[in-house]
Amino acid sequence: MELISSSIVSLTVFLPLIFGLVLLAMPADTEAGKKLLKTAALAFSLVVFLVSLGLYGRFDASYVGFQFVESIPWIESFGISYSVGVDGISLWLIILTTFLTPIVILGSWTAVEDKLKTYYFLILALETGMLGAFVALDVILFYVFWEAMLIPMYLLIGVWGGKDRIYASMKFFLYTLVGSLLMLIAIFYVMSQYKAQFGNYSSAILELYKVKTAFDGFWSPQTLLFLAFALAFAIKVPLFPLHTWLPDAHVQAPTAGSVILAGVLLKLGGYGFIRFAFPMFPQAVQYTAPVFIALGSIAIVYGAWVAMIQPDIKKLVAYSSVSHMGYVMIGLFSLNHLAVAGSVYQMLNHGISTGGLFLIVGMIYERRHTREISEFGGITRIMPIFAVIFMIVTLSSVALPGTNGFVGEFLILLGVYQVHKVWAIVAGTGVIFGAVYMLWMFQRVMFGPIRNEENKNLKDLSLREIIVMAPIVVAIFVMGVFPNIFISKMDTSIKAFLAQINV
Amino acid sequence: MEEFIKPQNLSLSPQQLSVLMPYLVVMTGGLITLLLGVFRKAVNMTVPVAAFSVLTMVLAAYSLFLVWGEPTVSLFNDMMVVDNFSNLFNLIFIVATGLVIVGSNQYLVREGIEHFEYYSLMLFSCLGMMFMASAKDLIVLFIALEIMSIAVYVLVGFKRADTRSNEAALKYFILGGLASAILLYGVALLYGATGSMNIQALAAAVQAGAASNLLFVLGAALVTGGLLFKVATVPFHMWMPDVYQGAPTTVTAFMTTGLKAAAFAAFVRFFMNLGYGADLSSTLYSGLYKVLWVSAIATMLIGNIIALTQKNIKRMLAYSSIAHTGYLIVAILCGGRSEYGYSSVLVYMAGYVVMNIGAFAVVAMLSEKNDRHTNIEDYAGLGFKKPLTGLAMTIFMFSMAGVPPTVGFAGKYLIFLSAVQAGEVLLAVLSVLCSAISAYYYLRVIVFMYMKDPVPGRAMNHTLAPAFVIGISAVITMQLGLFPSVLIEAAKKAAMMF
């Protein structure tokens, strides 16, 4: 027990990978074997979720700094160490990850039938990669997880994806790679600066925060370094105009891939800004903030407009991601306490509600093998349970008060308004457009007469599908009605984060 | 008159003998394989000779292990030196040659070229490489280069009935000979300018101001040109793809790893001793700097861009090998001005050797007679049909693309870090962008392996020995990627010699 409690973070991170390797060793040739494999994958991911709840249980909300820290030297000549730890911001992102993984495993129960072993292995390996990136307190360790995570996602899209899966997976990989390689050079620059200022190498982020890089307008090291980091993270978020890989990847990915991509991978972009880019280059952040707020607001409105005209439900949800992540960006760059808290909250919300929407799209696609909005209409009458759940998730996505989406967007807009009134108003119109495209889509799919004969025999949700959606519905309401459960745990960390920047 | 032949320099002390052991083992092994081959009328000697060659490599590795970490020993009137630098490179050569030999036999049998000379030539070539890494005198360097190259000229044309192999051998021979001549001419001019061919004496001459001597500058330029030719930087790369594609696949694996490493070993020793790097003020050094800067960019860019369009995997790996040379030139360019010096060259080279041999072993194992099925599309479905081979190839491809946690990332890490430390941020940025281009064609192999359906009837036979080589390479690629400290420390010690 001593060992478990002293290395609970590592345990959470590497358990999925170990379980994944166990899955690879299981026989899966017979029907019974396949069923066992799926059950084992589900059980394993639930174990990981429970372990991560252990983190929640022991987390001390009043403590400033990182908790459960583990640090082992890794490559000593460059001061690189395996050091991990959790604060109030990463805690929730970890739980989001471990929460969504069992859901997507159960969600792909019938959707994926071939190469099962590799499929579930990749999902669990991806979980390790994402968790590792969230807990890494060493910038090189973070980079390793950040890049390594691309591989399983790339294969998930490329092997189990739709028609243009190869193009989409390639675009996803290359976009991310270009951004991260420039970040790598920036990391080296900062490490060399650290060496020059302190006499030894280190890549621990708490050490790198101390590095003072020269700042003097745009063409100064600090601004350029910040932009190199920002490029990597903005591609991941994705921030307009670097978002073009997202619709391709989302539409082609299998449902589980889309859910994880939207639910967790995009959050890594926002998290990267919070953990690395902002505290390391505070002056550059303040200098460039207006540009990023403008881009974020454009992303909100543009994403909403483009989503409005999509004929394909999945593509609509993908563009809604661009719009929703725009809120996260303006919230972060406003550097206002309320808005930053709202941004972190919005990241969790988006993971829940967009993840839920992708699951819903997946369910309807499994039944009809199409996602064209025009193919549907009047589904409410045939699938009442589905209709209720779909409605709840849709309302969460349009940020109706009482759902989680409201809390995040409200905090962000309130915070941004205090600093940048004009952009807050522009972003505020995004809320209206958001309601327009989501509700209009919902109306065309669910209400009206049944126009298509094929839709008449659709089956309502099975018990498994209800179990998949139930945690999401519960999370939507809990997060909407009791936001304090979440914000109380993260607030100390957010204050500490802001204190680092406003030096 | 000065006495040139000193008797005390002609006898070897026990210490000198012990550090020479790895060389002697490889040489004796090469000679014995030749003798063993004589019995080929009675029995087929290929397998025994192959086994004996492997044994030789194991013994050589063991004798290297015995002298590992010993202080520097100067040999033969300072014409040769054994130090940590040469030891680490020797290890790379021995591992490369050993792995290639283990994986060769099945390929040779399939192509109908199972002659015992193959192994003797490999051993002699390996010996030449080892001398190259320890040469301290330009004439020794030249002789070592020729020992290494002549064996390989023959190996490239080993498929006597195959016109491509013949073409490759002839091309390589003529152009290689030209490069040697250029190098030798440069050596002669340097001798004319300074009266010595010893690298240290040359360095002393540079200190004394020889760099302003036109003869010296011309000589240095020709030597550098010859070496650049050997490592195949742009624009001296034209011969490489044809040679790499035409040569037997196992020989190609040997060339991209051992030969390249040997050329870089000589390159680095030459540069380190000349004191290049720390000071760019003199005309000679700033000239060299410009040449290398342009050549690094051109090599990375052209290698990567042409590799994008290749359909044949051997040719693709050949162009990728050119691109990797570009990264290594970046390492040489920045080494002198960064903290860990030239250790990045060694780390990158060691990693490249392992992953490249692994990749070529996959190609050699899966190809069929006359190098059929060496197109990238022939790998369709490999990932699910043969999961372990697919996994290994995936590891090699990601490692070549420099994705963590593989040894390819560790190598790129050191190179880019040293570039940033040397103040070459632009060069570093251009290198990473080139490396992003390269990800595309490495990923294409993975696309075919995992995302396309297998061609019906394609056998993809597996045999034990190559599979062993693939497995070992994959494990080392991952091992050194996850825990690179051992390699980095060894490289640091090796590069700090000077």
Side-chain angles (χ1 to χ4, degrees):
Chain A
M1 280 319 281
E2 189 66 15
L3 184 72
I4 292 179
S5 57
S6 69
S7 56
I8 184 166
V9 175
S10 297
L11 193 71
T12 318
V13 171
F14 288 103
L15 259 188
L17 185 66
I18 296 166
F19 284 148
L21 293 172
V22 173
L23 288 185
L24 282 185
M26 284 171 60
D29 303 325
T30 58
E31 274 307 310
K34 280 185 182 171
K35 189 137 195 214
L36 185 67
L37 188 84
K38 290 180 199 172
T39 318
L42 180 65
F44 288 161
S45 61
L46 283 171
V47 170
V48 177
F49 178 58
L50 290 177
V51 173
S52 73
L53 284 186
L55 276 179
Y56 172 81
R58 288 154 198 236
F59 188 82
D60 176 4
S62 58
Y63 183 83
V64 182
F66 293 99
Q67 307 183 26
F68 317 114
V69 174
E70 296 162 38
S71 192
I72 308 164
W74 185 20
I75 305 169
E76 281 177 77
S77 37
F78 291 105
I80 300 171
S81 61
Y82 170 82
S83 57
V84 293
V86 174
D87 72 351
I89 298 170
S90 53
L91 174 74
W92 287 111
L93 292 165
I94 292 166
I95 293 177
L96 176 71
T97 313
T98 56
F99 172 77
L100 283 177
T101 309
I103 292 179
V104 300
I105 288 177
L106 192 62
S108 34
W109 209 258
T110 51
V112 174
E113 281 300 340
D114 60 335
K115 299 156 189 161
L116 277 185
K117 235 191 240 187
T118 324
Y119 179 80
Y120 288 111
F121 168 74
L122 289 176
I123 288 187
L124 290 174
L126 182 61
E127 191 181 4
T128 288
M130 297 184 299
L131 291 173
F134 283 132
V135 300
L137 298 184
D138 181 290
V139 67
I140 296 295
L141 183 69
F142 170 79
Y143 187 84
V144 168
F145 278 119
W146 167 271
E147 285 271 277
M149 175 176 61
L150 287 181
I151 302 170
M153 194 66 215
Y154 166 73
L155 290 171
L156 278 175
I157 300 175
V159 179
W160 289 272
K163 199 165 90 314
D164 292 325
R165 58 188 200 277
I166 292 173
Y167 169 77
S169 58
M170 208 60 134
K171 194 166 173 181
F172 162 74
F173 196 100
L174 293 178
Y175 249 80
T176 321
L177 188 71
V178 170
S180 14
L181 282 169
L182 288 175
M183 175 172 78
L184 186 64
I185 297 294
I187 291 174
F188 290 156
Y189 192 92
V190 176
M191 281 174 74
S192 309
Q193 289 283 312
Y194 182 86
K195 161 91 180 157
Q197 287 171 22
F198 296 91
N200 60 310
Y201 279 106
S202 177
S203 57
I205 49 170
L206 290 176
E207 291 296 312
L208 294 184
Y209 287 169
K210 296 180 196 157
V211 175
K212 304 239 176 336
T213 39
F215 175 77
D216 169 33
F218 185 79
W219 291 108
S220 62
Q222 195 179 118
T223 313
L224 295 177
L225 289 170
F226 173 70
L227 289 178
F229 272 78
L231 180 69
F233 297 138
I235 287 175
K236 203 73 154 200
V237 164
L239 181 63
F240 174 88
L242 302 166
H243 64 281
T244 63
W245 64 270
L246 183 88
D248 287 312
H250 266 320
V251 171
Q252 298 304 327
T255 301
S258 301
V259 174
I260 295 180
L261 196 59
V264 187
L265 248 64
L266 306 190
K267 308 302 161 316
L268 272 160
Y271 176 77
F273 275 112
I274 296 175
R275 180 68 74 236
F276 299 98
F278 276 42
M280 267 154 81
F281 315 110
Q283 290 156 305
V285 174
Q286 285 167 352
Y287 179 72
T288 54
V291 180
F292 280 91
I293 289 187
L295 286 176
S297 306
I298 293 172
I300 294 170
V301 176
Y302 167 87
W305 286 354
V306 179
M308 217 178 292
I309 55 156
Q310 294 305 319
D312 179 304
I313 309 175
K314 207 171 183 186
K315 220 163 184 168
L316 184 145
V317 178
Y319 276 105
S320 85
S321 280
V322 176
S323 182
H324 285 267
M325 291 307 285
Y327 287 107
V328 174
M329 294 314 293
I330 60 167
L332 287 181
F333 276 91
S334 71
L335 299 175
N336 171 290
H337 183 193
L338 279 179
V340 171
S343 285
V344 179
Y345 209 70
Q346 175 76 353
M347 290 209 273
L348 304 177
N349 290 336
H350 178 258
I352 302 281
S353 55
T354 308
L357 283 173
F358 277 120
L359 285 166
I360 283 171
V361 175
M363 287 169 185
I364 206 162
Y365 181 78
E366 261 187 82
R367 286 172 169 72
R368 280 291 320 277
H369 295 283
T370 177
R371 292 183 296 249
E372 294 290 312
I373 296 174
S374 57
E375 290 279 321
F376 298 98
I379 306 291
T380 314
R381 279 177 233 172
I382 313 157
M383 302 170 70
I385 305 175
F386 176 75
V388 172
I389 293 176
F390 193 1
M391 192 71 215
I392 293 170
V393 181
T394 305
L395 292 178
S396 150
S397 180
V398 301
L400 192 80
T403 64
N404 58 350
F406 174 73
V407 182
E409 290 185 13
F410 182 73
L411 285 175
I412 291 172
L413 292 175
L414 195 64
V416 175
Y417 187 77
Q418 293 173 6
V419 218
H420 300 275
K421 291 198 172 46
V422 176
W423 289 117
I425 292 166
V426 172
T429 63
V431 180
I432 301 164
F433 293 125
V436 171
Y437 68 79
M438 284 308 292
L439 294 177
W440 189 35
M441 181 270 287
F442 192 82
Q443 181 219 331
R444 283 178 293 165
V445 173
M446 301 305 288
F447 296 143
I450 303 169
R451 287 189 302 273
N452 199 325
E453 281 301 309
E454 285 180 64
N455 291 338
K456 284 203 169 136
N457 300 321
L458 290 182
K459 280 204 177 62
D460 204 349
L461 297 190
S462 65
L463 182 61
R464 174 186 67 80
E465 287 169 322
I466 294 173
I467 295 174
V468 169
M469 293 309 297
I472 291 194
V473 171
V474 170
I476 285 173
F477 287 123
V478 172
M479 290 183 73
V481 181
F482 307 107
N484 212 29
I485 303 178
F486 302 87
I487 291 184
S488 64
K489 290 264 183 189
M490 59 174 83
D491 207 39
T492 313
S493 301
I494 289 172
K495 280 185 189 136
F497 162 70
L498 284 168
Q500 279 168 332
I501 298 162
N502 294 319
V503 276
Chain B
M1 195 171 155
E2 203 192 338
E3 185 185 4
F4 273 103
I5 298 172
K6 298 173 187 150
Q8 67 272 23
N9 286 337
L10 291 177
S11 60
L12 288 169
S13 73
Q15 192 205 14
Q16 288 175 320
L17 199 60
S18 77
V19 297
L20 269 178
M21 273 317 277
Y23 302 82
L24 295 175
V25 169
V26 175
M27 187 182 77
T28 319
L31 292 173
I32 294 179
T33 51
L34 277 183
L35 293 176
L36 280 177
V38 174
F39 300 102
R40 70 180 187 279
K41 288 271 163 60
V43 269
N44 183 350
M45 287 309 292
T46 334
V47 175
V49 168
F52 183 79
S53 316
V54 174
L55 179 70
T56 306
M57 283 299 135
V58 172
L59 284 176
Y62 178 70
S63 55
L64 188 65
F65 168 73
L66 290 180
V67 297
W68 190 263
E70 297 271 311
T72 307
V73 178
S74 174
L75 291 156
F76 308 121
N77 206 5
D78 217 17
M79 292 180 102
M80 218 183 114
V81 63
V82 176
D83 51 17
N84 286 336
F85 179 82
S86 67
N87 278 342
L88 183 57
F89 263 107
N90 285 348
L91 181 69
I92 294 179
F93 303 142
I94 289 170
V95 169
T97 315
L99 285 177
V100 170
I101 290 177
V102 171
S104 285
N105 198 50
Q106 170 246 5
Y107 181 85
L108 298 182
V109 170
R110 195 177 53 225
E111 298 288 338
I113 47 172
E114 67 278 38
H115 307 298
F116 75 92
E117 290 91 342
Y118 177 88
Y119 298 104
S120 313
L121 289 166
M122 285 253 163
L123 292 183
F124 284 127
S125 184
C126 177
L127 183 66
M129 293 171 190
M130 291 165 73
F131 278 122
M132 246 177 119
S134 27
K136 241 188 138 178
D137 188 286
L138 290 177
I139 212 72
V140 176
L141 178 73
F142 175 73
I143 293 171
L145 181 77
E146 288 302 293
I147 296 178
M148 170 183 92
S149 304
I150 289 175
V152 175
Y153 296 146
V154 182
L155 283 173
V156 169
F158 217 67
K159 286 198 274 183
R160 276 179 299 180
D162 182 46
T163 42
R164 267 174 191 263
S165 181
N166 294 341
E167 181 202 328
L170 195 64
K171 222 173 208 166
Y172 189 38
F173 177 63
I174 292 174
L175 291 173
L178 183 68
S180 299
I182 292 173
L183 182 78
L184 195 58
Y185 193 40
V187 173
L189 292 181
L190 286 181
Y191 182 72
T194 63
S196 173
M197 284 182 290
N198 187 295
I199 298 181
Q200 254 163 2
L202 289 177
V206 171
Q207 290 288 324
S212 54
N213 182 344
L214 184 64
L215 208 57
F216 187 91
V217 172
L218 201 57
L222 289 176
V223 171
T224 312
L227 287 172
L228 285 177
F229 203 103
K230 276 288 162 194
V231 299
T233 57
V234 172
F236 306 122
H237 69 289
M238 299 293 192
W239 56 274
M240 202 177 190
D242 288 339
V243 173
Y244 280 10
Q245 193 184 1
T249 309
T250 47
V251 175
T252 313
F254 187 62
M255 289 175 73
T256 49
T257 55
L259 250 68
K260 190 197 272 266
F264 269 104
F267 212 143
V268 170
R269 192 181 281 280
F270 188 65
F271 269 72
M272 281 194 303
N273 271 310
L274 283 190
Y276 164 80
D279 155 46
L280 291 175
S281 52
S282 74
T283 334
L284 178 71
Y285 290 153
S286 71
L288 265 178
Y289 170 80
K290 281 176 202 146
V291 169
L292 289 184
W293 207 94
V294 172
S295 134
I297 298 287
T299 310
M300 287 186 292
L301 210 57
I302 291 180
N304 277 323
I305 288 177
I306 302 183
L308 287 178
T309 61
Q310 298 306 316
K311 292 199 168 70
N312 182 291
I313 195 159
K314 275 171 88 174
R315 227 175 152 77
M316 186 273 267
L317 287 172
Y319 279 106
S320 105
S321 166
I322 295 175
H324 285 284
T325 301
Y327 305 128
L328 284 160
I329 299 281
V330 172
I332 288 188
L333 197 57
C334 304
R337 284 171 292 149
S338 71
E339 175 160 13
Y340 284 105
Y342 294 94
S343 59
S344 54
V345 180
L346 283 104
V347 172
Y348 197 86
M349 202 70 235
Y352 177 73
V353 163
V354 177
M355 63 202 182
N356 212 36
I357 286 189
F360 272 108
V362 173
V363 175
M365 185 172 79
L366 294 178
S367 66
E368 279 164 36
K369 194 163 168 50
N370 294 328
D371 266 355
R372 281 194 305 123
H373 296 311
T374 54
N375 286 337
I376 296 175
E377 62 204 34
D378 293 318
Y379 288 76
L382 175 70
F384 290 105
K385 213 165 160 185
K386 303 280 179 190
L388 286 177
T389 314
L391 175 67
M393 192 64 168
T394 309
I395 290 174
F396 301 138
M397 289 299 121
F398 277 122
S399 181
M400 288 196 189
V403 175
T406 56
V407 71
F409 174 68
K412 287 221 168 95
Y413 177 97
L414 257 83
I415 291 186
F416 298 153
L417 179 63
S418 76
V420 171
Q421 281 193 331
E424 297 282 352
V425 177
L426 178 63
L427 191 63
V429 168
L430 290 173
S431 322
V432 293
L433 291 181
C434 289
S435 118
I437 298 177
S438 76
Y440 178 79
Y441 57 85
Y442 295 127
L443 285 182
R444 248 170 52 111
V445 178
I446 293 166
V447 164
F448 275 96
M449 286 199 302
Y450 287 95
M451 305 174 194
K452 303 263 178 173
D453 291 325
V455 182
R458 170 101 168 80
M460 295 186 175
N461 287 323
H462 277 49
T463 32
L464 190 61
F468 172 77
V469 175
I470 295 166
I472 291 275
S473 311
V475 169
I476 300 179
T477 307
M478 287 307 291
Q479 159 79 24
L480 289 179
L482 285 170
F483 305 102
S485 282
V486 188
L487 180 60
I488 292 175
E489 288 305 319
K492 215 165 97 184
K493 258 169 81 182
M496 288 296 145
M497 291 302 297
F498 303 90

